[in-house]
Amino acid sequence: NGVVREDLQAHVSVVLGIEVFERKQLLGESPKGRTYAFSPDFRFEDPWVQRVSLDLCHGFSKDLRITEMTCWLTGFMEWWQARDRWPIRPERFDVRAQVLEYIADNPVQVVRSSSMFLRPGVEDFLWLGPDGRVQAMYVQA
């Protein structure tokens, strides 16, 4: 059937919007100071960022044999398309407010895998700034 045994599967998280300055050491003392920061270049309000981020959720090769994908953005896009065209246009809508409304409307999310099940809330896959703006996000495969 082409499915890799569970004990041979890897879990991968891909993070968007965070810059890493120093790598953590496996042994010994960790470096002092700032090891990461939110990237000023990651602007989720930008329609191109929304498109490219969504491509990350669907653009994997079948050769990778991904059995499970957790991507909050897939559900967000489907939710938004019931209202208007994707991606969200910041000149017409407050993207930050739409993300916050989606989080409030979706306390848990469905994961597409060999069997459907529920996962933690959407906000667990986002880093929001004090103003509620998406500063970073991640997807899991």
Side-chain angles (χ1 to χ4, degrees):
N1 63 8
V3 176
V4 177
R5 286 190 350 234
E6 190 169 339
D7 62 318
L8 297 175
Q9 293 177 11
H11 297 275
V12 177
S13 296
V14 179
V15 179
L16 302 171
I18 292 182
E19 295 178 7
V20 177
F21 300 124
E22 293 187 33
R23 304 216 184 274
K24 291 266 186 189
Q25 291 180 221
L26 183 59
L27 299 172
E29 193 172 321
S30 295
K32 302 286 186 223
R34 210 168 71 153
T35 57
Y36 72 91
F38 294 112
S39 172
D41 297 328
F42 182 78
R43 295 183 336 271
F44 187 73
E45 298 80 15
D46 182 333
W48 282 105
V49 171
Q50 294 172 46
R51 284 185 191 104
V52 170
S53 299
L54 187 63
D55 286 348
L56 181 63
C57 300
H58 302 283
F60 290 106
S61 166
K62 292 201 183 308
D63 294 338
L64 292 176
R65 297 182 184 173
I66 293 175
T67 59
E68 178 181 311
M69 171 61 72
T70 306
C71 183
W72 77 277
L73 196 49
T74 300
F76 181 60
M77 179 200 64
E78 292 167 359
W79 177 85
W80 179 252
Q81 284 181 322
R83 291 162 170 71
D84 208 296
R85 271 186 40 223
W86 178 261
I88 300 176
R89 309 281 184 209
E91 61 276 4
R92 293 185 56 216
F93 301 98
D94 180 350
V95 176
R96 177 196 58 82
Q98 299 308 317
V99 169
L100 293 174
E101 184 178 338
Y102 176 70
I103 290 170
D105 288 352
N106 295 277
V108 295
Q109 61 183 343
V110 176
V111 176
R112 291 188 175 103
S113 69
S114 53
S115 61
M116 301 296 269
F117 61 95
L118 299 177
R119 268 275 166 91
V122 172
E123 71 275 7
D124 294 330
F125 296 90
L126 301 170
W127 286 269
L128 301 176
D131 61 353
R133 188 179 71 79
V134 176
Q135 291 187 291
M137 59 175 271
Y138 77 98
V139 299
Q140 282 184 321

